[in-house]
Amino acid sequence: MFLSDFMLLPFLGSLLLGGAFVFAGLRNLANVPFLTDALAARGVPLAKVVLFAGIALQCCAGALLAAGVFPVYAAASLIVFLVTATLIFHNFWDHEGVDRVARINGVVSNVALAGGFLLIMANG
């Protein structure tokens, strides 16, 4: 394949995946009160500290992945983040109707993202 021979496709994939997490982390900074309350409501101790640790992980690992620096470690870190965030925020088993569907969609999206990260890890 012409494009992948020049490493353009892996570069663009890493840039888009990593950039999405940097963007999400920065967006979460605008929602600190809401997200802190949501974490506390789910029983997460030290909710604000955990939130800022998650935001730092999103931004740092996302930036590393986008830049192609330590991509395997960045992707693995983001998988850990996704698993944790999915269990906390996409608890579809506690919901019904449209809200349940939205949370299931969040789980499916996060599973797909984890698959992308596994591909990055496999290809270094």
Side-chain angles (χ1 to χ4, degrees):
M1 209 185 229
F2 178 73
L3 291 175
S4 63
D5 288 340
F6 292 102
M7 301 301 289
L8 181 61
L9 293 180
F11 166 74
L12 288 175
S14 293
L15 181 66
L16 292 172
L17 282 168
F21 277 82
V22 172
F23 175 77
L26 294 174
R27 189 184 65 206
N28 287 341
L29 283 174
N31 295 309
V32 169
F34 171 78
L35 293 170
T36 301
D37 290 345
L39 285 169
R42 295 286 294 148
V44 175
L46 301 170
K48 197 170 208 172
V49 172
V50 170
L51 175 63
F52 279 109
I55 290 170
L57 185 114
Q58 279 181 293
C59 291
C60 292
L64 287 172
L65 187 62
V69 178
F70 303 118
V72 172
Y73 296 114
S77 298
L78 289 169
I79 288 174
V80 171
F81 174 84
L82 282 173
V83 169
T84 305
T86 299
L87 291 172
I88 293 171
F89 288 109
H90 298 293
N91 55 323
F92 62 87
W93 51 90
D94 290 335
H95 298 272
E96 295 179 9
V98 175
D99 195 32
R100 181 182 181 104
V101 171
R103 290 172 191 265
I104 289 172
N105 288 340
V107 170
V108 172
S109 296
N110 285 355
V111 168
L113 287 167
F117 292 137
L118 289 172
L119 287 171
I120 287 171
M121 292 170 68
N123 293 306

